[in-house]
Each structure stands twice: as C-alpha cells, then as structure tokens.
Amino acid sequence: MPLNNERPTSTSRSEDQGSDAESSLASDLDCSRDSFNSDGSSKHCTPSSSPPRTLPRDEVMEAGRDLFNLKLVHEIVVGDVRAELSQGSQNSLWNIVRENLYKAFWDKLESELNEDPPEYQHAIKLVEDIREILLLFLNPGANRMRTQIMEVLDMDLIRQQAENDALDIQGLASYIISTMGKLCAPVRDEEIRKLRESTDNTVTLLKEIFRVLDLMKVDNVNSTIEILRPLLQRNGVEYQRQLFQSILDDLPTALNRTTAWIQSALEELLLASVPPEKPDDAGKGQPPLPGPIQILNAACLRFLTWDFSKTLVPETWVMDQYRLEEIQRQLRQWETVNEVLLIVHSKIGGPIRGASSLSDRLKRMISVLLESMHKPDSNLEETLEGVSAQVCSELNKSLTERSCPALTPDQQATLTGQICSISQKENPIRTLVEDRVQQYFRLLLSDPKNQTKLEEVSASLTAIKPELVAIGKTFISLINYNRAVYGPFYMDIIRKLLFGSSPPTPIPQQQQAPNCHVSHE
C-alpha cells in the first residue's frame, strides 16, 4: 500500500473497485440465494429457531447481502479468488451496444477537440473523473500527494484555462501518467512506460489512460484480498458461522435440505444396523444409535456419488458445490483409468508384467483420452472405443519391442469389448473399483488418524494411488472446514433427529464440531 509518494510493493487500495469485485462473483449469487429455501435453525452454540413469516423487502435484501458476503469470505479463505476485468462475450448484445456507445462518445470528443477553438467540456469531465479515481487509490495518510493532485487538477482553474483557450491537455495527461506511475503496482510499469512514450493524439491517449486505470483498479482489489486473506483465515470460521446465522434469522427455512441430507444418512445407518430377524432375537434390545460423527461421515460419503444434475446439495455445501463436482469428476476419471489398466494387465498378463514404463505410458495416455468423458455430449462407450484402439496400438508396439507376438485381431476385439463394457454400471470390474474407492474414503472419514490412512490404498488401486491420495486430501480438507463452520448446526439437527422433543443425551465436547484431522494443504 503506498504511503504518500512511496511505490506500493504490490498494489494500492481502491474503494471504487469494491463494486468490480462484487460483479466478478455476483453471477453465482442468484443461484446461491435460491438455494437457501429450507427449514431448520441454529446459533453458534445455542441454536435458536423462529416460525416462518412473510419477509419484508429490506430483510430479503439484507439476507442477500449476507449471502454474498458469506460466499466472498468463503472463496477468499478456501479458494484462490482473484478479481479480473470482465470482457463479456464479443458477440453479446450488451457488448455490442456498449462498444457502439463508447465509440460514439470518443468520436464526439475527438470532433470537439478538433474544432476551432476547441470545445473542452467533455474533456474536462474526463479529467475530473480521472482525478477522483487517483484520489481513491490513496490511503488515508497520503495527505501530501492528495493535496498535490487537488492543486494540479484544480477543476475551477482548468475550466478558466479552457474558457481562455489556454488549456494544456497534453500537460495534464503527462502529470496524470506520472502520478499513475507512483501509484500502480510494479506489474503495470510496462503499461506506464508505453503511456509516457505514446505519440498518439489526445483522444487515444485518454482512452489508454482509462484502460490502465481499470487494470489498476483490479490490482487494488486483488491487493486488498491478499491483505484480508490471513485475517479471514484466522477468523473466517466464526465470521462465516455468524453470517449464516444472520441468513437463518431472516430465512428460517434455510436448513431444509441439510436436515433431509443428514436424515437420509441416519436412516441408511439405522437400516444397516438392523440384523436379519431370528426367532431367538425376540425381546432383545434395539441396536445402539449411530453417533454424530458416524452420521456426518455417512452423509459426506454420499457426495462421491451425488447426482448434481437432479438433486440440489445441502444449503451448507452450496458454496463448495463446484468443488464437490470437480472431485467427483476427477475420481470417476481415475477410476476409469484404473479399470482399463486392470483389464489390460488381466488380459495380456505375462508379456507386460513388470513393464512399469509401459504402465505409466498407458496411464498418461488413457487419462488424456478420458478428459472429455464428463462433457454433456460425450458418449462414454464411444470414448472407450477410442481408448481401446490407442491401448491396442501401444501394446503391439511394446510387445514388438520385447520380441513378443503382437495381439491378434481376435485378441484386440476381445480386449476392446471388455474395455467398452465398463461403460455399464453393473460391470464387475467397475463395481470392484468403485467399491474399493468407497472403502478408501470411508476409512479416511472414520479413522481419527486418517493422515496415515491416506497412503493405505487397496492393491487393486495401486495404479492410481498418487491421484487418489491427492483427491482424498482435497476432499477431507473441504469436509474439515465445512464442519468447523457448520458443526453446531449439524449437532442441533442430529439432536432433533435422534431425540425429537425429549431432552437429548449430552454430547461430549470432542463431538461438537467433528473433524477428520487432515490438515489443509
């Protein structure tokens, strides 16, 4: 942050760019706001609830602002959010209209400056706008530079000079560029140098000045984000919880889907805990109720097979939905890679046993070919046909190098058929791999020392162990942070589901915000 005439180490601050930061994330806001339409309630440690009511407009707007702030803080803490200039689609109606308006404005300005004598009305307005932007870049302690800008860009004086045909636009532009050079981040030095060396006419120079000022605004926002990130990382959990409680106070139905999500996991666990009925079991007690951690683990495990196109995620996971979808996409892709490799090694056997370089080549090749398998218009069986052709080609090349006979057409057809068959959900190889992956993540979630469990991968998944471990770390980190923020809400829901209106059994302190004990990396 610049102090007086000091150059900033990264970027300077700008209040004006706050709206730009909002616009970069506002596209997700409407969808997020629609997601909070469920029932339930909870405070930080003492959950509270209120009956449904018709909300006045100002409370709805306040809930929308809280939701936006919640998303912004979450993305700063968990993600790598950065502001960028939005160019929009070149062929969009909005972009076409905007470009035509801009062109008309600059053409009008050029014609006014070319008059004899020149007409400076619009040019002066632009200089005034530039002055306000420069002032916004200053921090509160930069009094000397603030005074200097106000003196050099004194609008009353500039208007008097214009009336007397004594206005030096080029001189003002030179001072503006020099001031921008003092306030910009080092990454913009090249842009400032081009402005200083520009021989363009006044209108083109002003256009370029505004372009660079827009870049500086973005730099200011990103600098502010970097300054806020450590603070939010220290206090983000409590702050996000308070924001969510504010939303819950305004929208008491904001935990319906979360409640249904947890209830579904609880019902599944209760059903699984009921043994087959035997005659001698009459009169025996009911099986013990699952604990809160067990319930939440079962609920989170569902995200690995969640159908995001048909079922909305719980409200407490709305901010991370795209991350969950990406984890699921990566997992399914690497599962398919592993399934193909298992089929290849099972079918070919001895001639390629121990050929680690071949396995690595096949793994890289298959993963690249499967990158498009998640596209809406993608056909998995057709994709696997292409994979099979490349696999057969690579195998024949390797077998020839090892002085082994190449695959016969019948062998290639059989191998292709087996590989393509994994597009069917009931395929035994696919079922085996998916079950092993589910077991791996179940162990990660259930073992309190799951940092060591990250490396304990089933032998049938060895080929994708590095990728599986990386996905596991990401998944567990998301769950840890989510539980840290929303743990009290989950505990309240679980108490109500388990005990209803009767007094609940006290939950031990260590269960208040269950954590998977895997550090965020």
Side-chain angles (χ1 to χ4, degrees):
M1 305 295 292
L3 293 175
N4 297 328
N5 289 336
E6 295 178 0
R7 289 183 61 93
T9 54
S10 58
T11 55
S12 50
R13 300 181 69 176
S14 169
E15 299 170 6
D16 182 60
Q17 188 58 18
S19 59
D20 293 337
E22 293 185 6
S23 64
S24 67
L25 292 171
S27 59
D28 299 323
L29 177 57
D30 292 336
C31 295
S32 299
R33 184 185 293 118
D34 292 340
S35 300
F36 289 83
N37 56 3
S38 325
D39 180 349
S41 57
S42 204
K43 270 213 187 280
H44 170 32
C45 291
T46 55
S48 62
S49 63
S50 55
R53 60 190 177 88
T54 303
L55 295 175
R57 183 177 180 275
D58 58 341
E59 290 191 20
V60 174
M61 295 300 293
E62 184 179 352
R65 285 191 295 272
D66 287 338
L67 182 55
F68 177 83
N69 289 335
L70 179 62
K71 181 171 180 61
L72 184 59
V73 170
H74 184 77
E75 290 301 322
I76 290 175
V77 174
V78 177
D80 186 26
V81 62
R82 289 183 62 81
E84 295 179 354
L85 279 179
S86 176
Q87 300 297 331
S89 172
Q90 291 295 321
N91 297 323
S92 69
L93 178 60
W94 165 254
N95 198 61
I96 293 171
V97 172
R98 184 184 62 177
E99 291 301 320
N100 286 334
L101 288 174
Y102 281 176
K103 184 177 184 304
F105 174 82
W106 292 112
D107 288 347
K108 174 66 173 175
L109 178 63
E110 187 169 16
S111 66
E112 288 179 350
L113 293 179
N114 288 334
E115 291 178 6
D116 190 15
E119 171 56 55
Y120 291 110
Q121 179 184 353
H122 288 99
I124 292 174
K125 177 58 179 171
L126 291 180
V127 172
E128 186 173 11
D129 290 343
I130 291 172
R131 184 187 71 171
E132 296 307 311
I133 294 172
L134 293 176
L135 291 175
L136 286 173
F137 287 154
L138 302 178
N139 63 48
N143 296 324
R144 185 172 61 179
M145 180 170 282
R146 187 181 303 275
T147 301
Q148 184 188 73
I149 292 174
M150 294 298 292
E151 289 178 351
V152 176
L153 301 180
D154 184 333
M155 302 316 299
D156 291 335
L157 178 60
I158 289 174
R159 289 188 183 93
Q160 291 177 14
Q161 291 174 341
E163 289 172 2
N164 295 296
D165 199 18
L167 182 61
D168 181 8
I169 288 287
Q170 288 292 338
L172 292 176
S174 178
Y175 171 77
I176 289 168
I177 294 169
S178 175
T179 304
M180 289 168 61
K182 296 174 183 178
L183 297 174
C184 72
V187 71
R188 302 302 172 198
D189 285 348
E190 180 62 20
E191 296 284 357
I192 299 297
R193 185 189 64 78
K194 290 179 181 177
L195 288 177
R196 286 194 175 111
E197 297 175 358
S198 173
T199 56
D200 294 326
N201 60 36
T202 302
V203 172
T204 303
L205 183 59
L206 286 172
K207 287 170 67 174
E208 285 300 296
I209 286 174
F210 273 99
R211 183 184 65 82
V212 178
L213 285 173
D214 284 341
L215 295 175
M216 290 172 61
K217 290 179 185 179
V218 174
D219 294 338
N220 276 319
V221 173
N222 288 327
S223 175
T224 303
I225 289 172
E226 292 306 314
I227 291 169
L228 289 175
R229 182 171 279 122
L231 177 65
L232 291 175
Q233 286 173 339
R234 290 194 299 270
N235 305 287
V237 168
E238 183 67 27
Y239 182 60
Q240 288 181 73
R241 192 182 297 145
Q242 291 173 358
L243 284 175
F244 189 80
Q245 181 62 52
S246 297
I247 295 170
L248 202 56
D249 291 339
D250 292 329
L251 302 173
T253 58
L255 279 173
N256 271 0
R257 291 204 309 276
T258 302
T259 301
W261 168 62
I262 294 176
Q263 183 175 3
S264 179
L266 173 59
E267 291 171 352
E268 182 181 287
L269 289 172
L270 291 174
L271 187 63
S273 67
V274 177
E277 210 174 304
K278 295 180 182 176
D280 350 349
D281 291 341
K284 289 191 177 179
Q286 293 293 326
L289 293 174
I293 296 178
Q294 187 182 2
I295 296 170
L296 289 177
N297 287 346
C300 290
L301 198 62
R302 290 177 160 222
F303 288 131
L304 299 180
T305 54
W306 195 277
D307 189 343
F308 295 97
S309 63
K310 295 181 180 177
T311 309
L312 295 172
V313 296
E315 296 87 350
T316 55
W317 282 94
V318 167
M319 308 300 174
D320 286 315
Q321 175 170 337
Y322 76 93
R323 293 185 178 91
L324 292 173
E325 290 185 41
E326 181 59 27
I327 286 172
Q328 191 184 98
R329 281 193 292 267
Q330 290 181 13
L331 196 58
R332 183 66 199 116
Q333 180 177 341
W334 287 110
E335 284 175 349
T336 307
V337 170
N338 193 78
E339 291 155 13
V340 173
L341 291 175
L342 285 177
I343 291 172
V344 169
H345 285 282
S346 171
K347 180 67 180 174
I348 307 304
I352 62 170
R353 186 172 291 116
S356 57
S357 59
L358 172 62
S359 294
D360 290 341
R361 287 201 308 274
L362 287 175
K363 176 181 171 180
R364 289 194 300 270
M365 179 188 72
I366 296 167
S367 66
V368 170
L369 293 173
L370 290 175
E371 283 180 355
S372 63
M373 65 181 286
H374 303 292
K375 292 182 178 179
D377 57 346
S378 174
N379 183 300
L380 181 57
E381 187 171 357
E382 292 179 0
T383 302
L384 290 172
E385 286 179 3
V387 169
S388 303
Q390 293 297 321
V391 166
C392 289
S393 174
E394 191 67 29
L395 285 174
N396 284 332
K397 178 182 175 183
S398 179
L399 290 171
T400 303
E401 290 173 352
R402 293 167 179 270
S403 302
C404 295
L407 298 176
T408 65
D410 286 344
Q411 288 175 320
Q412 292 186 44
T414 302
L415 183 61
T416 298
Q418 291 183 354
I419 290 176
C420 290
S421 69
I422 62 179
S423 62
Q424 302 167 7
K425 291 185 178 181
E426 64 276 8
N427 179 272
I429 299 293
R430 176 171 175 173
T431 302
L432 170 69
V433 171
E434 290 177 351
D435 286 347
R436 293 293 184 270
V437 168
Q438 285 283 317
Q439 290 175 16
Y440 172 75
F441 279 93
R442 191 176 290 111
L443 285 174
L444 285 186
L445 289 167
S446 62
D447 193 325
K449 297 180 180 179
N450 51 34
Q451 185 71 51
T452 60
K453 290 291 182 183
L454 278 167
E455 301 292 331
E456 296 182 10
V457 175
S458 167
S460 58
L461 303 175
T462 303
I464 59 169
K465 178 179 177 178
E467 293 76 20
L468 200 57
V469 169
I471 295 171
K473 286 181 179 179
T474 303
F475 186 58
I476 296 299
S477 294
L478 272 182
I479 291 174
N480 281 346
Y481 192 80
N482 180 273
R483 290 186 185 178
V485 175
Y486 300 105
F489 299 91
Y490 295 152
M491 292 301 102
D492 182 47
I493 292 171
I494 290 172
R495 286 189 191 101
K496 291 177 180 177
L497 291 174
L498 290 178
F499 308 108
S501 57
S502 61
T505 303
I507 296 177
Q509 182 63 32
Q510 63 267 26
Q511 293 183 358
Q512 289 302 311
N515 193 295
C516 294
H517 306 290
V518 172
S519 59
H520 180 74
E521 297 184 11

